[in-house]
Amino acid sequence: MNNQKSIAGLLIGAGLVLYAIILKIGYLNDVLEYLEQAKTIDVHSGVALWVGIIVLLVGISNFIVPVGRFKHDSIVRAPAPGIGILILLCILNRYYLEPIFKIWGKAFQPALGFDFATIFGFNYILLGIIIGFLWANIIKIPAWMLPGVKTGRLILKMAIITMGAMYSITEIKHMGSLSIIMIFVFVMGTVFFVLWFGKFFETDKSLTGVLASGLAVCGVSAAVAVAPVVKARSIDVAYSIGMLLLVGVVGLLVFPPVGKAVGMNEIQFGAWVGTGLLNSAQVAAAALVFDPHTIETLKVAEIFNITRVLILPLIVLVLAFWYAKGEAAENVEKINVGKVLIDKFPIFVIGFILMFALMSVGFFTPKGFELHGKDWYNFTPSEKKQLKKEELAKIKNFVDSGSITNPMVKEALEKLLVDKQITSTAQADHVLKAQDFTKDKELKKLFKDAVKKVHEKPITIEIMREYMLWFFAYGLSALGMQITWQSMKQAGGKAVAVIGAITGFLKAFLSFWVCLFLLKETI
Amino acid sequence: MKKILVATDGSAQSFKAIDRAAELAKNGSAELIVVNVAEDFCPLELAEADCDVIRQLLIKEAQSIMSKAIGKLKELGVEARGIIEFGSPAETILEIADREKVDEIILASHGKHGVKKLLMGSVASRVLEGAKCPVTVVK
């Protein structure tokens, strides 16, 4: 905060409002039509308008009264201009640059032999990170934007909390047990590997401890969390942070194209980034670069990431005891196990769990909707969901033929004949099972269609998903601006670089094979 | 009485500056202020809470450097006052010099980052440029 009157917010807010108006009037319709984004105009102008109005109003106040005059200026008045710029950047990336890259990718396909935009994942998430990084490191982020850029971390946390509402109990159970095993093995494996490696290289014990935590758990924040308990010097922390950032950025750029090239599915890739990539934010980024428009990969990756973050207090304790073992008693502070566990507990996970709990008890579920497995159903009777007469006749023939040996299936089909549509999740399951009793492809399709007709996602969930993607796009663009070449250059010392590079690579490599060959199923 | 500011970053080089200051301030002929600037390390990539953890490490390190410096001066028979501050080294040294209205600044030509080929390091040269009082650069 510079205690000066600033016109930045006013100009940016006015720009956003003006853009929203131009969009509404329809001046850009042809362009958006060409970019195949015409359908997005409502959401997109809405975001521009509302953010624009807020930034404009705050901007006017910043122009009249210098920022820094009031106590809470750091919360609203200082960040507003930066927030406006970030929203503009998101709009630019999502609705203009991504479609342009898509068109270019197709255009160059004959010459290159592959679609570079798809293979390298040049979507709005990656473009946001790249533009942010280049901006921060080549042009420099102006001081008035910094408070806005710093909101990125909070917004990312909000995105992850919102994500809690996107899971069903089945998914959490399935992915949760998978992630607990994988994360535990890989985190512990990495810790012991780095400790052994440090001994081998005869690195300073404190430095080894910081590296072990950072490389094993969730990157920079884990390294910092462990620093005090292993009595690290600030220079050790600086070196390690630089190295962790560098390894993380390389991973972020390498993981998505590799995953695409070998044709990983969303579970394989999500599990791989969640295990093999270092920093939490980069896990979300890589998952979204891989698969930006459905959130299936992100859902898997985030479960892995949360499992990993939850294991951090345990690792802090393990490393504290490891450090204390060889030290003289007077050099060691007593470790308060309870305090470590509470201090290092990631609070946003509580928000995530709360959202999941609210979702599970149906808080966000509108009347008539039901979540079963990972699918949404709406059984409210309506004509659209009913099967046609000839279809019902076909099913009736099949039931009468007596080839169904399962009485539950038979009962479900008989009920379907009466109601003309499916009315419960149990019935839907049994109707799907009826496929096993026939070889007739048409009949099989008929059963699937009957279930498809009652499939329906509630609009509230769709809206939450859309907001969540905005949060991620915003937070990750800000993240790009927060990756500075300067701090990566801090990756000093031969031992730090060697341990970091080898461990980072091995972890990515091993988890890659595990995910590719052992995770065959889909949810 | 003359007021002398001596800067140290804990390096062996910077302790030469302490020796020099002790000579000048012997027998209570000058008031001595020892300054250590902790370089704030908070890259944008870190959360504020993480930066605080690192700051605590930095403060501990600064305190240990300071007690070493003051202890050494005591051995040489000189009483001194210590100041620890966060910031970029050269600017902070100049700021403290201004604030304390010192008559002389003593510092080493090179500190912990020292590249010996250069005549003097960046901190020494920036202090020399910006100082309003005589500066002694110890080689």
Side-chain angles (χ1 to χ4, degrees), chain A residues 153 220 233-234 482 484 487, chain B residues 44-47 50 53 58 61:
Chain A
R153 203 180 307 279
V220 172
R233 292 174 306 159
S234 56
Q482 296 182 20
T484 56
S487 45
Chain B
L44 264 178
E45 287 93 336
L46 292 192
D50 288 345
V53 173
L58 286 166
E61 282 160 28

Side-chain angles (χ1 to χ4, degrees), chain A residues 341-370:
Chain A
L341 291 180
I342 292 169
D343 278 359
K344 300 298 170 206
F345 187 84
I347 294 161
F348 75 95
V349 174
I350 297 175
F352 176 90
I353 294 170
L354 193 70
M355 281 299 265
F356 171 67
L358 286 174
M359 181 73 222
S360 308
V361 299
F363 188 78
F364 301 114
T365 317
K367 212 166 167 272
F369 285 89
E370 233 175 283

Side-chain angles (χ1 to χ4, degrees), chain A residues 245-503:
Chain A
L245 291 171
L246 196 59
V247 174
V249 170
V250 171
L252 171 59
L253 294 177
V254 170
F255 274 50
V258 171
K260 280 258 153 72
V262 300
M264 279 184 152
N265 67 28
E266 55 264 31
I267 296 195
Q268 289 171 324
F269 189 79
W272 183 35
V273 285
T275 319
L277 251 188
L278 290 186
N279 295 306
S280 292
Q282 282 157 352
V283 170
L288 277 168
V289 169
F290 181 79
D291 171 12
H293 295 290
T294 80
I295 53 165
E296 294 308 314
T297 313
L298 182 64
K299 276 162 76 175
V300 183
E302 241 2 280
I303 284 292
F304 274 70
N305 190 39
I306 285 176
T307 312
R308 194 165 71 170
V309 174
L310 282 174
I311 221 173
L312 176 62
L314 182 70
I315 298 304
V316 172
L317 284 178
V318 167
L319 287 169
F321 285 117
W322 164 80
Y323 183 79
K325 214 176 58 191
E327 292 294 302
E330 67 264 23
N331 282 341
V332 178
E333 277 167 55
K334 235 180 135 231
I335 302 154
N336 183 340
V337 176
K339 192 172 181 302
V340 171
L341 291 180
I342 292 169
D343 278 359
K344 300 298 170 206
F345 187 84
I347 294 161
F348 75 95
V349 174
I350 297 175
F352 176 90
I353 294 170
L354 193 70
M355 281 299 265
F356 171 67
L358 286 174
M359 181 73 222
S360 308
V361 299
F363 188 78
F364 301 114
T365 317
K367 212 166 167 272
F369 285 89
E370 233 175 283
L371 182 64
H372 177 55
K374 58 179 279 197
D375 296 315
W376 283 97
Y377 293 94
N378 185 345
F379 299 113
T380 321
S382 83
E383 210 141 301
K384 255 195 353 215
K385 291 172 195 156
Q386 289 179 359
L387 294 179
K388 291 190 201 101
K389 258 198 188 125
E390 60 271 21
E391 290 170 334
L392 289 168
K394 203 165 165 115
I395 293 175
K396 188 165 188 319
N397 275 338
F398 177 60
V399 174
D400 292 344
S401 75
S403 45
I404 308 168
T405 46
N406 185 335
M408 307 281 275
V409 173
K410 196 170 174 200
E411 197 184 313
L413 289 182
E414 278 164 353
K415 190 160 178 354
L416 174 61
L417 291 174
V418 177
D419 303 330
K420 294 184 190 153
Q421 72 161 68
I422 295 174
T423 53
S424 74
T425 53
Q427 192 190 7
D429 285 346
H430 286 123
V431 169
L432 284 175
K433 247 185 224 154
Q435 292 179 84
D436 301 341
F437 298 99
T438 175
K439 287 203 172 80
D440 183 350
K441 276 195 181 139
E442 243 176 80
L443 202 55
K444 281 188 188 210
K445 191 172 172 300
L446 194 59
F447 293 139
K448 268 195 247 170
D449 283 348
V451 176
K452 225 184 247 168
K453 278 180 201 267
V454 286
H455 262 290
E456 193 183 333
K457 222 174 196 176
I459 190 86
T460 41
I461 300 294
E462 288 297 307
I463 291 171
M464 278 169 80
R465 204 184 74 112
E466 186 64 25
Y467 273 109
M468 190 193 75
L469 284 177
W470 270 96
F471 286 157
F472 272 113
Y474 177 99
L476 292 173
S477 296
L479 172 87
M481 293 179 186
Q482 296 182 20
I483 303 172
T484 56
W485 187 235
Q486 208 183 349
S487 45
M488 284 194 279
K489 268 199 314 207
Q490 295 258 8
K494 199 173 136 215
V496 175
V498 172
I499 293 177
I502 293 181
T503 313

Side-chain angles (χ1 to χ4, degrees), chain A residues 70-89:
Chain A
F70 304 116
K71 207 174 156 194
H72 297 295
D73 271 3
S74 61
I75 300 170
V76 178
R77 287 183 59 214
I83 292 173
I85 290 277
L86 279 167
I87 292 286
L88 265 176
L89 193 61

Side-chain angles (χ1 to χ4, degrees), chain A residues 55-122:
Chain A
V55 174
L56 180 63
L57 290 177
V58 178
I60 292 170
S61 93
N62 287 0
F63 186 57
I64 299 168
V65 185
V67 175
R69 180 70 58 86
F70 304 116
K71 207 174 156 194
H72 297 295
D73 271 3
S74 61
I75 300 170
V76 178
R77 287 183 59 214
I83 292 173
I85 290 277
L86 279 167
I87 292 286
L88 265 176
L89 193 61
C90 291
I91 291 176
L92 178 77
N93 288 327
R94 189 150 183 202
Y95 301 122
Y96 295 92
L97 289 183
E98 177 182 311
I100 288 173
F101 268 92
K102 210 167 164 188
I103 292 168
W104 283 350
K106 290 227 167 66
F108 284 108
Q109 194 160 10
L112 293 171
F114 61 92
D115 182 341
F116 79 93
T118 313
I119 288 286
F120 292 112
F122 278 116

